Amino acid sequence: MSLVRLNIKGISYSQTQSGAYALVLNEVDGSRTLPIVIGAFEAQSIAIALEKEIKPPRPLTHDLFKSFADSFQIDIKQVIIHKLVDGVFYSSLICERDNIEEIIDTRTSDAIALATRFSAPIFTYENILDKAGIYLKMKDEFLPQEENLEIEDLIQEPVPAKETSYAHDTLEQLQDKLNDAVLDEDYEIAAKIRDEINKRSSK
């Protein structure tokens, strides 16, 4: 299976899960995006790592891991999102010390937070993008400028989540809603609809 490199496209408030955020990755040489729901702590940690000029007064857990790894000459060479089961993404850290490579299982949110600190590339497999990727239909930014999340936004209380249920929608209605969500660049909602479509298609 061929690997596809991903970049971090943006982070937004989750519209379906209270206290959660949507991390959107996009393929480097293509138009597909991969929305992943993550927790508030991981969203804040990723945002702080991306904002190079902001340093927390005390190291966050992922900063501690980086310092620990540096002290023992451990490097993270790459992150691979290698599995998707029931809407949950599974990832691995490819680490190296003294030219010996080790593979460590990790939550995807932690993997991305560490990748930003080690400047490690992020990859997934083509079949995962085929199953869970969403095609971009617009070339605008992930969020309108006035909605871009700042570090302060990630520390504040998130907006209430919307209650969404697609149990009574037909597959045709779900596909229409998926297209609308992508056009609105609401990738977290699109991911939920995509998972519902995949769940029904696998039956």
Side-chain angles (χ1 to χ4, degrees), residues 127-165:
N127 66 326
I128 292 179
L129 267 181
D130 286 340
K131 182 178 180 181
I134 297 173
Y135 281 91
L136 284 172
K137 294 190 176 183
M138 299 172 67
K139 294 187 177 180
D140 297 333
E141 291 300 315
F142 168 54
L143 292 171
Q145 187 63 38
E146 65 272 13
E147 295 183 21
N148 282 338
L149 291 181
E150 305 292 342
I151 299 300
E152 293 78 7
D153 295 325
L154 294 171
I155 299 173
Q156 297 171 359
E157 190 70 22
V159 295
K162 297 177 183 176
E163 291 295 330
T164 54
S165 174

Short mmCIF file of all heavy atoms in Angstrom, two decimals, residues 127-165:
data_model
loop_
_atom_site.label_atom_id
_atom_site.label_comp_id
_atom_site.label_asym_id
_atom_site.label_seq_id
_atom_site.Cartn_x
_atom_site.Cartn_y
_atom_site.Cartn_z
N ASN A 127 -5.52 3.68 0.92
CA ASN A 127 -6.84 3.09 1.14
C ASN A 127 -7.61 3.81 2.24
O ASN A 127 -8.84 3.84 2.23
CB ASN A 127 -6.72 1.60 1.44
CG ASN A 127 -6.02 1.32 2.75
OD1 ASN A 127 -5.11 2.03 3.15
ND2 ASN A 127 -6.43 0.26 3.44
N ILE A 128 -6.91 4.41 3.21
CA ILE A 128 -7.59 5.17 4.26
C ILE A 128 -8.14 6.47 3.68
O ILE A 128 -9.26 6.88 3.98
CB ILE A 128 -6.64 5.45 5.44
CG1 ILE A 128 -6.32 4.13 6.16
CG2 ILE A 128 -7.24 6.46 6.41
CD1 ILE A 128 -5.37 4.28 7.32
N LEU A 129 -7.37 7.12 2.83
CA LEU A 129 -7.86 8.34 2.16
C LEU A 129 -9.03 8.01 1.24
O LEU A 129 -9.98 8.79 1.12
CB LEU A 129 -6.73 9.00 1.38
CG LEU A 129 -5.95 10.10 2.11
CD1 LEU A 129 -4.88 10.68 1.19
CD2 LEU A 129 -6.86 11.20 2.62
N ASP A 130 -8.96 6.86 0.59
CA ASP A 130 -10.07 6.45 -0.28
C ASP A 130 -11.35 6.28 0.52
O ASP A 130 -12.44 6.63 0.07
CB ASP A 130 -9.74 5.13 -0.99
CG ASP A 130 -8.71 5.31 -2.11
OD1 ASP A 130 -8.55 6.45 -2.57
OD2 ASP A 130 -8.09 4.32 -2.50
N LYS A 131 -11.21 5.76 1.74
CA LYS A 131 -12.38 5.48 2.57
C LYS A 131 -12.87 6.70 3.34
O LYS A 131 -14.07 6.94 3.45
CB LYS A 131 -12.04 4.36 3.56
CG LYS A 131 -13.20 3.94 4.46
CD LYS A 131 -12.79 2.81 5.38
CE LYS A 131 -13.94 2.39 6.28
NZ LYS A 131 -13.56 1.29 7.20
N ALA A 132 -11.94 7.49 3.86
CA ALA A 132 -12.32 8.57 4.79
C ALA A 132 -12.01 9.97 4.28
O ALA A 132 -12.43 10.95 4.89
CB ALA A 132 -11.62 8.37 6.13
N GLY A 133 -11.29 10.08 3.18
CA GLY A 133 -10.95 11.39 2.66
C GLY A 133 -12.14 12.09 2.04
O GLY A 133 -13.06 11.46 1.53
N ILE A 134 -12.12 13.41 2.10
CA ILE A 134 -13.17 14.24 1.52
C ILE A 134 -12.53 15.15 0.49
O ILE A 134 -11.54 15.83 0.80
CB ILE A 134 -13.88 15.06 2.61
CG1 ILE A 134 -14.59 14.13 3.60
CG2 ILE A 134 -14.89 16.03 1.99
CD1 ILE A 134 -15.17 14.84 4.80
N TYR A 135 -13.09 15.18 -0.70
CA TYR A 135 -12.51 16.01 -1.76
C TYR A 135 -12.87 17.48 -1.55
O TYR A 135 -14.02 17.81 -1.28
CB TYR A 135 -13.00 15.56 -3.13
CG TYR A 135 -12.28 14.35 -3.65
CD1 TYR A 135 -12.77 13.07 -3.39
CD2 TYR A 135 -11.10 14.47 -4.38
CE1 TYR A 135 -12.11 11.95 -3.86
CE2 TYR A 135 -10.44 13.36 -4.85
CZ TYR A 135 -10.94 12.10 -4.59
OH TYR A 135 -10.29 10.99 -5.04
N LEU A 136 -11.87 18.33 -1.68
CA LEU A 136 -12.12 19.77 -1.63
C LEU A 136 -12.80 20.21 -2.92
O LEU A 136 -12.41 19.79 -4.00
CB LEU A 136 -10.80 20.53 -1.49
CG LEU A 136 -10.14 20.53 -0.11
CD1 LEU A 136 -8.76 21.17 -0.21
CD2 LEU A 136 -10.98 21.29 0.88
N LYS A 137 -13.79 21.05 -2.79
CA LYS A 137 -14.46 21.59 -3.97
C LYS A 137 -14.20 23.08 -4.13
O LYS A 137 -14.62 23.69 -5.08
CB LYS A 137 -15.98 21.34 -3.86
CG LYS A 137 -16.33 19.87 -3.93
CD LYS A 137 -17.81 19.66 -4.06
CE LYS A 137 -18.13 18.18 -4.22
NZ LYS A 137 -19.57 17.93 -4.41
N MET A 138 -13.50 23.66 -3.14
CA MET A 138 -13.17 25.08 -3.19
C MET A 138 -11.71 25.22 -2.80
O MET A 138 -11.19 24.43 -2.04
CB MET A 138 -14.05 25.89 -2.23
CG MET A 138 -15.54 25.80 -2.55
SD MET A 138 -16.56 26.58 -1.28
CE MET A 138 -16.08 28.29 -1.49
N LYS A 139 -11.06 26.25 -3.28
CA LYS A 139 -9.66 26.46 -2.98
C LYS A 139 -9.46 27.51 -1.90
O LYS A 139 -8.37 28.00 -1.68
CB LYS A 139 -8.89 26.86 -4.24
CG LYS A 139 -8.83 25.73 -5.27
CD LYS A 139 -7.94 26.09 -6.43
CE LYS A 139 -7.83 24.93 -7.40
NZ LYS A 139 -6.96 25.23 -8.55
N ASP A 140 -10.55 27.90 -1.23
CA ASP A 140 -10.43 28.87 -0.14
C ASP A 140 -9.77 28.20 1.05
O ASP A 140 -9.61 26.99 1.10
CB ASP A 140 -11.82 29.39 0.26
CG ASP A 140 -12.47 30.14 -0.88
OD1 ASP A 140 -11.74 30.69 -1.73
OD2 ASP A 140 -13.71 30.14 -0.93
N GLU A 141 -9.43 29.01 2.05
CA GLU A 141 -8.84 28.47 3.25
C GLU A 141 -9.86 27.65 4.01
O GLU A 141 -11.05 27.76 3.80
CB GLU A 141 -8.31 29.61 4.14
CG GLU A 141 -7.10 30.32 3.56
CD GLU A 141 -5.93 29.38 3.36
OE1 GLU A 141 -5.64 28.60 4.27
OE2 GLU A 141 -5.32 29.44 2.29
N PHE A 142 -9.35 26.81 4.92
CA PHE A 142 -10.21 25.91 5.70
C PHE A 142 -11.27 26.68 6.46
O PHE A 142 -12.42 26.29 6.50
CB PHE A 142 -9.32 25.13 6.68
CG PHE A 142 -10.08 24.39 7.73
CD1 PHE A 142 -11.09 23.50 7.39
CD2 PHE A 142 -9.77 24.56 9.06
CE1 PHE A 142 -11.78 22.81 8.35
CE2 PHE A 142 -10.46 23.88 10.03
CZ PHE A 142 -11.46 23.00 9.67
N LEU A 143 -10.93 27.80 7.06
CA LEU A 143 -11.90 28.63 7.77
C LEU A 143 -11.81 30.05 7.24
O LEU A 143 -10.72 30.52 6.89
CB LEU A 143 -11.58 28.67 9.28
CG LEU A 143 -11.77 27.36 10.05
CD1 LEU A 143 -11.20 27.52 11.45
CD2 LEU A 143 -13.23 27.00 10.12
N PRO A 144 -12.94 30.78 7.16
CA PRO A 144 -12.85 32.20 6.85
C PRO A 144 -11.94 32.90 7.84
O PRO A 144 -11.84 32.50 9.00
CB PRO A 144 -14.31 32.67 6.99
CG PRO A 144 -15.13 31.44 6.80
CD PRO A 144 -14.31 30.32 7.37
N GLN A 145 -11.28 33.96 7.40
CA GLN A 145 -10.28 34.60 8.24
C GLN A 145 -10.82 34.98 9.61
O GLN A 145 -10.15 34.83 10.62
CB GLN A 145 -9.74 35.86 7.52
CG GLN A 145 -8.56 36.51 8.23
CD GLN A 145 -7.37 35.59 8.29
OE1 GLN A 145 -7.09 34.87 7.35
NE2 GLN A 145 -6.63 35.59 9.40
N GLU A 146 -12.07 35.47 9.63
CA GLU A 146 -12.60 35.91 10.92
C GLU A 146 -12.90 34.76 11.86
O GLU A 146 -13.14 34.95 13.04
CB GLU A 146 -13.89 36.73 10.71
CG GLU A 146 -15.06 35.97 10.13
CD GLU A 146 -15.05 35.98 8.61
OE1 GLU A 146 -14.00 36.36 8.05
OE2 GLU A 146 -16.05 35.61 8.00
N GLU A 147 -12.88 33.50 11.36
CA GLU A 147 -13.19 32.36 12.21
C GLU A 147 -11.95 31.56 12.58
O GLU A 147 -12.05 30.57 13.29
CB GLU A 147 -14.19 31.44 11.51
CG GLU A 147 -15.56 32.08 11.30
CD GLU A 147 -16.53 31.11 10.67
OE1 GLU A 147 -16.30 29.89 10.76
OE2 GLU A 147 -17.52 31.56 10.08
N ASN A 148 -10.78 31.95 12.10
CA ASN A 148 -9.58 31.20 12.43
C ASN A 148 -9.37 31.18 13.93
O ASN A 148 -9.48 32.20 14.60
CB ASN A 148 -8.34 31.85 11.76
CG ASN A 148 -8.25 31.48 10.30
OD1 ASN A 148 -8.81 30.50 9.86
ND2 ASN A 148 -7.54 32.30 9.54
N LEU A 149 -9.05 30.01 14.46
CA LEU A 149 -8.87 29.87 15.90
C LEU A 149 -7.48 30.35 16.31
O LEU A 149 -6.48 29.95 15.74
CB LEU A 149 -9.06 28.41 16.32
CG LEU A 149 -10.47 27.86 16.20
CD1 LEU A 149 -10.49 26.42 16.67
CD2 LEU A 149 -11.45 28.68 17.01
N GLU A 150 -7.44 31.18 17.31
CA GLU A 150 -6.18 31.59 17.91
C GLU A 150 -5.92 30.72 19.13
O GLU A 150 -6.79 29.99 19.60
CB GLU A 150 -6.24 33.07 18.31
CG GLU A 150 -6.60 34.00 17.17
CD GLU A 150 -5.51 34.07 16.10
OE1 GLU A 150 -4.37 33.67 16.40
OE2 GLU A 150 -5.82 34.51 14.98
N ILE A 151 -4.70 30.82 19.69
CA ILE A 151 -4.37 30.05 20.88
C ILE A 151 -5.36 30.36 22.00
O ILE A 151 -5.82 29.48 22.71
CB ILE A 151 -2.94 30.37 21.35
CG1 ILE A 151 -1.93 30.00 20.26
CG2 ILE A 151 -2.62 29.61 22.62
CD1 ILE A 151 -1.95 28.56 19.86
N GLU A 152 -5.73 31.64 22.13
CA GLU A 152 -6.66 32.03 23.19
C GLU A 152 -8.01 31.35 23.01
O GLU A 152 -8.68 31.01 23.98
CB GLU A 152 -6.83 33.55 23.21
CG GLU A 152 -5.58 34.32 23.63
CD GLU A 152 -4.54 34.43 22.53
OE1 GLU A 152 -4.84 34.03 21.39
OE2 GLU A 152 -3.42 34.89 22.81
N ASP A 153 -8.43 31.15 21.75
CA ASP A 153 -9.71 30.50 21.49
C ASP A 153 -9.71 29.07 22.02
O ASP A 153 -10.72 28.56 22.49
CB ASP A 153 -10.01 30.47 19.99
CG ASP A 153 -10.20 31.88 19.43
OD1 ASP A 153 -10.74 32.73 20.15
OD2 ASP A 153 -9.81 32.10 18.27
N LEU A 154 -8.56 28.40 21.93
CA LEU A 154 -8.48 27.02 22.34
C LEU A 154 -8.43 26.86 23.86
O LEU A 154 -8.57 25.77 24.38
CB LEU A 154 -7.23 26.36 21.72
CG LEU A 154 -7.28 26.23 20.21
CD1 LEU A 154 -5.93 25.79 19.68
CD2 LEU A 154 -8.35 25.25 19.79
N ILE A 155 -8.22 27.97 24.56
CA ILE A 155 -8.21 27.92 26.02
C ILE A 155 -9.59 28.24 26.56
O ILE A 155 -9.98 27.83 27.64
CB ILE A 155 -7.16 28.90 26.57
CG1 ILE A 155 -5.76 28.50 26.07
CG2 ILE A 155 -7.17 28.94 28.09
CD1 ILE A 155 -4.69 29.49 26.41
N GLN A 156 -10.37 28.98 25.78
CA GLN A 156 -11.71 29.37 26.21
C GLN A 156 -12.69 28.22 26.07
O GLN A 156 -12.41 27.21 25.43
CB GLN A 156 -12.19 30.57 25.38
CG GLN A 156 -11.34 31.82 25.57
CD GLN A 156 -11.69 32.89 24.59
OE1 GLN A 156 -12.57 32.71 23.75
NE2 GLN A 156 -11.02 34.02 24.68
N GLU A 157 -13.87 28.40 26.69
CA GLU A 157 -14.93 27.39 26.61
C GLU A 157 -15.43 27.31 25.18
O GLU A 157 -15.75 28.33 24.57
CB GLU A 157 -16.08 27.80 27.54
CG GLU A 157 -17.12 26.71 27.72
CD GLU A 157 -16.61 25.54 28.53
OE1 GLU A 157 -15.64 25.73 29.29
OE2 GLU A 157 -17.17 24.45 28.39
N PRO A 158 -15.52 26.12 24.60
CA PRO A 158 -16.00 25.99 23.22
C PRO A 158 -17.48 26.27 23.12
O PRO A 158 -18.22 26.20 24.10
CB PRO A 158 -15.70 24.52 22.88
CG PRO A 158 -15.65 23.83 24.19
CD PRO A 158 -15.12 24.84 25.17
N VAL A 159 -17.91 26.57 21.89
CA VAL A 159 -19.34 26.81 21.66
C VAL A 159 -20.10 25.51 21.84
O VAL A 159 -19.55 24.43 21.65
CB VAL A 159 -19.56 27.37 20.23
CG1 VAL A 159 -18.91 28.71 20.08
CG2 VAL A 159 -19.02 26.39 19.19
N PRO A 160 -21.39 25.58 22.21
CA PRO A 160 -22.17 24.35 22.38
C PRO A 160 -22.22 23.55 21.09
O PRO A 160 -22.29 24.10 20.00
CB PRO A 160 -23.57 24.88 22.76
CG PRO A 160 -23.33 26.25 23.29
CD PRO A 160 -22.16 26.79 22.53
N ALA A 161 -22.17 22.25 21.24
CA ALA A 161 -22.19 21.37 20.07
C ALA A 161 -23.61 21.21 19.54
O ALA A 161 -24.57 21.26 20.29
CB ALA A 161 -21.62 19.99 20.42
N LYS A 162 -23.71 21.04 18.24
CA LYS A 162 -25.00 20.80 17.63
C LYS A 162 -25.37 19.32 17.75
O LYS A 162 -24.51 18.45 17.60
CB LYS A 162 -24.96 21.17 16.13
CG LYS A 162 -24.69 22.63 15.86
CD LYS A 162 -24.61 22.85 14.36
CE LYS A 162 -24.26 24.29 14.03
NZ LYS A 162 -24.09 24.48 12.57
N GLU A 163 -26.63 19.07 18.01
CA GLU A 163 -27.10 17.69 18.03
C GLU A 163 -27.43 17.29 16.59
O GLU A 163 -28.26 17.91 15.94
CB GLU A 163 -28.33 17.56 18.92
CG GLU A 163 -28.04 17.76 20.40
CD GLU A 163 -27.14 16.67 20.96
OE1 GLU A 163 -27.21 15.53 20.45
OE2 GLU A 163 -26.36 16.96 21.88
N THR A 164 -26.77 16.29 16.12
CA THR A 164 -27.02 15.86 14.74
C THR A 164 -27.29 14.37 14.71
O THR A 164 -26.61 13.59 15.36
CB THR A 164 -25.82 16.18 13.83
OG1 THR A 164 -24.65 15.59 14.40
CG2 THR A 164 -25.61 17.67 13.69
N SER A 165 -28.27 13.98 13.94
CA SER A 165 -28.59 12.57 13.75
C SER A 165 -28.97 12.36 12.30
O SER A 165 -29.73 13.14 11.72
CB SER A 165 -29.74 12.15 14.67
OG SER A 165 -30.13 10.83 14.38
#
